[in-house]
């Protein structure tokens, strides 16, 4: 689950509480996702939403079988309140970016064994793209980084050239060990892509929401390093197609190329009729974060926004 560093104790505490309140067998399924490195962020976002709903005195169930589908969360309710089918979509980085990051994980893991809490980054050396080292080179680089970082003279701004890579010390980091930031790009996304992803989710779960006469809410979260924002989503709902990108400030060479569709006019997005609302999750660390909800303006029976303390849920227009 969460890292074992002492400064992550508050995060582990709320995660344990939230997970314990998920009824079985969903609790075990969500725990397995949190323990799987490749599924962690998706499962973490699902747990964040569940924890926020729990703070609103609701009891979400995880991956409950409903009419042949398994939405991420289902919130049962007694009349006159309506139940809710909740699906969380984590917008990921592009596949090649994730693969490149995994290639850096060997070196990142070795750097994390160095007993000095400082952040370091790989920077461009000569203006060429920086490719991850193989396993053997990673071990050699890690040995030299250990010697360098344990020198009293190595401070933020110091640089080390080794094995064709240039490393720069950035700043003291929380915890007890060093941390490496690899130069991986996050990619590009436009508003139309975000809204299409929401539409696909809505169409998949509309039949079960209709059958149960339940609210259908699709919540968007963004993987660390991936592009996308609440402002971009709101622009798309208003009919404006905007483009966002993310990349490492230490990346060298061409960032990439992309194309975006231009709308002939700024026509508001056409909501799927069964979609009650769209949420945006700003996931937290020591707290579950905050959930912003946008309700379908065409509904005669708008969704009942859950009331949570400390502004964990915000209604937006």
């Amino acid at each position: 689950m969460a890292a074992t560093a002492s400064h992550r104790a508050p995060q582990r505490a709320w995660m344990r509480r939230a997970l314990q309140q998920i009824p079985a067998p969903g609790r075990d399924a969500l725990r397995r996702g949190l323990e799987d490195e490749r599924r962690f962020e998706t499962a973490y976002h699902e747990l964040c939403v569940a924890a926020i709903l729990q703070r609103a005195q609701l009891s979400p169930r995880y991956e409950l079988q409903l009419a042949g589908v398994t939405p991420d969360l289902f919130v049962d309710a007694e009349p006159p309140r309506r139940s809710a089918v909740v699906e969380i979509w984590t917008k990921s980085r592009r596949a090649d970016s994730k693969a490149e990051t995994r290639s850096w994980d060997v070196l990142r893991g070795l750097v994390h064994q160095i007993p000095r809490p400082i952040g370091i980054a790989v920077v461009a050396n000569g203006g060429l793209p920086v490719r991850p080292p193989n396993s053997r080179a990673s071990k050699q680089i890690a040995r030299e980084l250990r010697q360098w970082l344990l020198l009293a003279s190595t401070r933020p701004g110091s640089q080390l050239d080794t094995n064709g890579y240039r490393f720069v010390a950035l700043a003291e980091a929380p915890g007890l060990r060093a941390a490496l930031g690899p130069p991986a790009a996050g990619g590009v996304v436009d508003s139309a892509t975000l809204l299409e992803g929401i539409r696909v989710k809505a169409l998949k779960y509309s039949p079960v929401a209709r059958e149960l006469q339940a609210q259908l809410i699709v919540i968007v979260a963004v993987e660390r390093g991936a592009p996308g924002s609440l402002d971009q989503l709101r622009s798309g709902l208003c009919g404006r197609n905007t483009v966002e990108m993310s990349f490492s400030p230490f990346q060298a060479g061409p960032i990439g190329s992309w194309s975006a569709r231009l709308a002939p006019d700024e026509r508001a997005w056409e909501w799927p009729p069964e979609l009650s609302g769209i949420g945006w999750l700003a996931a937290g660390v020591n707290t579950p974060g905050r959930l912003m909800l946008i309700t379908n303006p065409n509904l005669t029976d708008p969704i009942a926004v859950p009331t949570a303390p400390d502004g964990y849920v915000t209604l937006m227009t």
Side-chain angles (χ1 to χ4, degrees):
M1 289 172 61
T4 56
S6 59
H7 69 283
R8 289 293 183 90
Q11 182 183 24
R12 293 193 296 274
W14 78 254
M15 290 177 69
R16 280 194 294 267
R17 287 194 303 269
L19 189 60
Q20 190 59 35
Q21 293 182 55
I22 299 290
R27 182 193 313 128
D28 293 334
L30 184 51
R31 179 184 287 111
R32 287 193 295 271
L34 292 167
E35 292 172 348
D36 184 339
E37 183 179 357
R38 296 198 178 188
R39 286 197 59 231
F40 174 79
E41 281 204 73
T42 296
Y44 183 72
H45 292 154
E46 293 164 352
L47 183 64
C48 286
V49 173
I52 291 171
L53 295 176
Q54 289 166 358
R55 295 188 183 207
Q57 306 302 310
L58 300 173
S59 300
R61 302 180 68 180
Y62 182 72
E63 290 192 345
L64 183 67
Q65 279 278 352
L66 296 171
V69 294
T70 53
D72 292 323
L73 298 171
F74 178 72
V75 182
D76 205 356
E78 295 293 332
R81 300 188 67 177
R82 295 171 62 196
S83 301
V85 174
V86 182
E87 180 68 12
I88 299 100
W89 175 42
T90 294
K91 176 67 179 68
S92 301
R93 290 173 296 153
R94 63 177 193 251
D96 60 337
S97 175
K98 296 175 75 170
E100 187 177 358
T101 299
R102 286 195 295 269
S103 298
W104 283 102
D105 282 347
V106 174
L107 180 57
R108 184 160 49 183
L110 294 171
V111 168
H112 193 61
Q113 297 175 18
I114 302 173
R116 180 176 177 183
I118 190 169
I120 63 173
V122 189
V123 300
N125 190 358
L128 298 175
V130 183
R131 303 301 181 195
N134 58 35
S135 179
R136 181 176 180 181
S138 293
K139 294 176 182 178
Q140 182 179 354
I141 292 170
R143 286 194 294 268
E144 297 193 30
L145 287 173
R146 172 181 288 269
Q147 296 175 3
W148 175 60
L149 290 176
L150 295 181
L151 293 175
S153 58
T154 301
R155 299 175 181 176
S158 299
Q159 294 186 0
L160 172 70
D161 290 337
T162 177
N163 286 264
Y165 298 90
R166 175 168 294 170
F167 296 87
V168 60
L170 299 177
E172 298 300 321
L176 302 174
R177 300 184 181 277
L180 170 68
V188 178
V189 69
D190 61 7
S191 304
T193 300
L194 288 179
L195 292 173
E196 183 58 25
I198 293 169
R199 187 183 301 279
V200 168
K201 291 286 189 182
L203 292 177
K204 179 177 180 180
Y205 294 100
S206 287
V208 67
R210 188 165 49 246
E211 180 178 333
L212 298 175
Q213 296 185 335
Q215 302 172 107
L216 173 59
I217 302 173
V218 176
I219 296 173
V220 183
V222 176
E223 186 180 76
R224 287 176 300 170
S229 68
L230 175 60
D231 286 342
Q232 185 181 33
L233 172 62
R234 296 177 73 187
S235 293
L237 291 173
C238 294
R240 295 187 293 272
N241 191 20
T242 59
V243 176
E244 291 191 8
M245 64 182 303
S246 63
F247 58 93
S248 167
F250 305 106
Q251 187 180 355
I255 294 173
S257 61
W258 63 91
S259 60
R261 290 165 286 180
L262 296 178
D265 52 35
E266 292 186 0
R267 185 178 305 172
W269 188 60
E270 185 177 342
W271 286 68
E274 279 81 19
L275 182 59
S276 305
I278 297 171
W280 186 274
L281 173 68
V285 177
N286 291 338
T287 70
R290 299 185 182 277
L291 178 61
M292 281 65 75
L293 284 176
I294 303 171
T295 61
N296 186 338
N298 304 317
L299 293 183
T300 56
D301 182 19
I303 64 174
V305 179
T307 301
D310 304 320
Y312 281 103
V313 180
T314 302
L315 179 64
M316 308 189 75
T317 58

